[in-house]
């Protein structure tokens, strides 16, 4: 097949690929070759993949091709090129977690997410980049280097699922797994202009458990809402290895789409009552909210009524980092990202009483949001108050100490374990802006349907190649 043919295939969605597979008009092998060609062409510029498993991917694609030819496809994502973040085990692939301290060995078994994707027939192309142990809202590490934004390679892709977001923006593969303990799906999704959702905690099992414990959710990152729903149908299944995975959706996620928004009560909080938002970002989000109103939603501008929970989040976050660092030798600690080592060593000193106070404050915030959703079906905010900044930095400027200071819209909803998504809603100076939609716990269907309706009202342009930017 010609390069032009591969380029056209590489831009197809999972829904489109499945339809063409069913009709016999396209082979999973051609789709996989197209995805690998896109990775070959783009990865050196954005550093989205830290491991590409070309041989095993092609073998999986050949097996999928035979299943489709025999009418024995395993499901709608059988043969769809996909990726897994390098915090999640994939049997036969490295599990480095973005760290020089990790043993250079191959995983011997699949994590639940990887297992469910394989069982659905997905072709796993490789592993996407993460900062060390997913500790921050940008993606760079001593082990794998800097991951860059496809819209401007001088800018950050965000993190910690920055590799997945950059891959999704360029369709270097179609379906991508992210994880989110403080915004790590929504931050890079917002910066890179792709859809992503942190589902209600417990829908998607996670094993081994995250260092950030019950803050961490796994979820899909894709160009379209439909494709994320196809992933949800595959992976949102309980697994005995994660005793928190106690939720099961009744039916198929893909069937929830395109329901009318008339009568839906939506709270729009442009600042949460305390965030400074870039005027260009605010304008894009305002336009998206106007589109929701045109679609029939009943929108009221109102804040949810809590103050910035940064202190309680930081206590829990630092404690999680402390758990990781506490098991390392001094020689291993010397290999760590200095920022991660610093918060880990700080976390090791957290008093148990202070930790339990943070746990109690978290519970109170969850109750408050539960009460808020008795009145409002959804809460809408910007995903981020800014657009992407210089790659290779942890913060926007030297006045900030921690990454959480520039992403105040995301971590509150890890504390509450609610479903929270990001959808692209415009560009400011050529860089994407994201809209966050938050639902009550278990109301993922409402969130996803609203995202799909908004996606149709505000279609996103896509990239086939990264846009070069100045590098500091």
């Amino acid at each position: 097949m010609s390069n032009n043919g591969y380029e056209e295939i590489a831009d197809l969605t999972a829904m489109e690929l499945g339809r063409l597979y069913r009709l016999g008009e396209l082979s999973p092998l051609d789709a996989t070759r197209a995805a690998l060609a896109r990775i070959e062409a783009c990865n050196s510029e954005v550093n989205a993949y830290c491991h590409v498993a070309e041989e095993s991917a092609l073998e999986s694609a050949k097996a999928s091709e035979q299943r489709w030819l025999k009418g024995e496809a395993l499901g709608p994502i059988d043969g769809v090129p996909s990726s897994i973040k390098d915090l999640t085990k994939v049997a036969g692939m490295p599990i480095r977690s973005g760290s020089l301290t990790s043993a250079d060995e191959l995983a011997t078994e699949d994590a639940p997410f990887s297992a469910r994707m394989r069982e659905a027939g997905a072709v796993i192309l490789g592993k996407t980049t993460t900062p060390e142990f997913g500790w921050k809202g940008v993606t760079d590490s001593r082990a794998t280097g800097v991951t860059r934004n496809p819209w401007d390679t001088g800018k950050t892709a965000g993190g910690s699922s920055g590799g997945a977001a950059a891959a999704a923006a360029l369709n270097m593969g179609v379906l991508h797994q992210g994880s989110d303990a403080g915004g790590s799906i929504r931050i890079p999704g917002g910066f890179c202009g792709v859809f992503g959702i942190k589902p209600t905690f417990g829908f998607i099992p996670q094993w081994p458990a995250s260092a950030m414990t019950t803050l961490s959710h796994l979820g899909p990152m894709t160009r379209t809402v439909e494709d994320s729903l196809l992933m949800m149908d595959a992976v949102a299944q309980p697994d005995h290895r994660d005793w928190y995975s106690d939720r099961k959706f009744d039916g198929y996620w893909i069937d929830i789409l395109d329901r009318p928004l008339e009568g839906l009560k939506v709270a729009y909080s442009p600042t949460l009552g305390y965030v400074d938002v870039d005027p260009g970002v605010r304008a894009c989000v305002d336009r998206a909210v106007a589109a929701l109103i045109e679609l029939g939603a009943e929108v009221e501008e109102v804040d949810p009524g809590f103050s910035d929970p940064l202190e309680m989040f930081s206590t829990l976050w630092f404690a999680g980092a402390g758990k990781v660092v506490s098991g390392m030798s001094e020689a291993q600690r010397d290999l760590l990202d200095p920022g991660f080592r610093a918060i880990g060593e700080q976390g090791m000193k957290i008093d148990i009483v202070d930790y339990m106070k943070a746990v109690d404050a978290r519970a109170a915030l969850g109750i408050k949001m539960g009460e808020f959703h008795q009145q409002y079906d959804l809460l809408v905010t910007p995903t981020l108050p800014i657009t992407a900044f210089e790659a290779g930095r942890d913060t926007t400027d030297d006045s900030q100490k921690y990454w959480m200071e520039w992403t105040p819209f995301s971590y509150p909803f890890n504390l509450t374990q609610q479903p929270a998504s990001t959808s692209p809603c415009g560009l400011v100076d050529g860089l994407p802006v994201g809209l966050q939609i938050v639902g009550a716990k278990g109301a993922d269907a409402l969130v996803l349907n609203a995202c799909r309706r908004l996606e149709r009202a505000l279609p996103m342009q896509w990239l086939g190649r990264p846009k070069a930017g100045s590098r500091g």
Side-chain angles (χ1 to χ4, degrees), residues 254-409:
I254 196 65
D255 292 338
I256 69 172
L257 289 183
D258 298 324
R259 297 175 183 176
L261 301 188
E262 281 80 9
L264 198 69
K265 296 185 183 300
V266 176
Y268 173 36
S269 179
T271 69
L272 289 180
Y274 53 82
V275 180
D276 292 327
V277 178
D278 176 86
V281 170
R282 173 68 187 266
C284 286
V285 175
D286 282 347
R287 286 194 293 272
V289 170
L292 288 174
I293 294 171
E294 290 180 7
L295 289 166
E298 299 174 10
V299 178
E300 177 183 350
E301 188 168 321
V302 60
D303 297 324
F306 57 78
S307 58
D308 189 351
L310 178 58
E311 182 178 354
M312 76 172 92
F313 176 78
S314 296
T315 297
L316 300 172
W317 189 266
F318 289 10
K323 182 176 69 173
V324 176
V325 174
S326 66
M328 293 183 176
S329 67
E330 191 64 25
Q332 287 177 310
R333 293 184 193 185
D334 287 342
L335 297 174
L336 293 172
D337 181 319
F340 179 65
R341 177 173 181 168
I343 70 164
E345 292 180 344
Q346 186 173 340
M348 290 165 61
K349 300 173 184 176
I350 291 173
D351 181 80
I352 186 61
V353 173
D354 291 335
Y355 182 86
M356 292 310 299
K357 286 180 179 177
V359 171
D360 287 346
R362 178 186 186 183
L365 178 61
I367 292 169
K368 187 171 190 64
M369 285 308 300
E371 292 171 347
F372 182 80
H373 284 291
Q374 296 301 301
Q375 185 173 357
Y376 300 100
D377 298 308
L378 299 173
L379 169 66
V380 172
T381 76
T383 301
L384 295 145
I386 55 173
T387 54
F389 53 90
E390 181 185 346
R393 296 184 57 95
D394 290 354
T395 58
T396 61
D397 58 57
D398 293 337
S399 69
Q400 296 173 331
K401 187 174 182 180
Y402 299 118
W403 65 269
M404 299 86 83
E405 295 174 60
W406 53 264
T407 180
F409 289 108

